[in-house]
Amino acid sequence: YWDVYEWAHSMGKMMIRVCLFFPMPTWPRVSDLIHERGRSLSGWIHLGGVKAFLDGSLGSSSAWFYEPYEDVPGDYGLQLLDMDVLLNATLESDKSGLQVAIHAIGDKANDMLLDMFDKVVSLNGTKDRRFRIEHAQHLSPGAATRFGEHGIIASVQPDHLLDDADSAGRKIGVERAERSSYLFRSLLAGGAHLAFGSDWPVSDIYPLQAIRTAMSRKLPGWEAPWISAERLPLDDSLKAHTISAAYACFLDHVLGSLVEGKYADFVVLPSTSWREFADDIPGHVLATYVNGKQAYP
Ligand SMILES: *[C@@H]1O[C@H](CO)[C@@H](O)[C@H](O)[C@H]1NC(C)=O
Ligand SMILES: *[C@H]1O[C@H](CO)[C@@H](O)[C@H](O)[C@H]1NC(C)=O
């Protein structure tokens, strides 16, 4: 779709910045495009890298686990790619300078990726790669700290928690669900780069709601949080949705914080203090500025 975005940009219609990831098998074409045009086609359109899927989702019982689903006996989920094929494509993409993002939801899928990343580093040395694991939703004991070893990005979507909090116990058992699910705080403590996103249109696109979910881990109407120890304070949630999300796209030099030299992309909140904001996260912003210009309302 990059040419569609370019068309929108040429018509002066772009109001959001995009960082595009392409299907992993197309890596030679993405690599050629970047060598020809550079990583930024404009201030609005950035070429990120390549993306692959190692497993499915919890909701469809296709996330890849060590232990079977409680509600589908004998079913461990789906492994969508052969690990040797994935290692080969990752090494090739990585050597050509592309950032690699791979979807993993189940604990086994996440461990297999962490093992594969270890291999890439041992075969091709350390460099600033910013490997991304998309979702990193269920982690085996100890996996959270392995993200930190190679500065891997846990690209997570707090609002998916709202879809799973109620059903995870039925799908994988309460004990497994509670020790493995959406371990945001453990990931940060283990040195992972924690980047928030929405996964829109699968989930709601609204960032303030994602921040609220990461802080409260409560479904509407719930009294108690789901896995209370993994709730994040405001500061960490804000960073995950701003500077760390920019870092996860190699765009933290131009986005993600309000400092001289970066784009003036920001919102005006109705709260009068951070304390007030944290106590009662507003349902709306007063205004949105993009590139220094008011874009909303
Ligand atoms: C990947 O596979 C291709 C085709 O089999 C091979 O030519 C290439 O050397 C492999 N690359 C790596 C990094 O192993
Ligand atoms: C990465 O591995 C390839 C062999 O697969 C080798 O040719 C290349 O020099 C390695 N790069 C680094 C930075 O180690």
Side-chain angles (χ1 to χ4, degrees), residues 4 19 25 75 89 107 115 121 124-125 133 138 144 155 227 258:
V4 178
C19 179
D75 182 2
D107 55 6
D115 290 348
V121 173
N124 266 80
I133 296 189
H138 302 281
S155 165
I227 321 174
L258 288 174

Side-chain angles (χ1 to χ4, degrees), residues 91 95 123-125:
L91 281 169
K95 269 193 269 175
L123 285 168
N124 266 80

Side-chain angles (χ1 to χ4, degrees), residues 65-77:
F65 285 98
Y66 284 109
E67 294 171 67
Y69 286 88
E70 293 279 317
D71 57 346
V72 196
D75 182 2
Y76 296 80

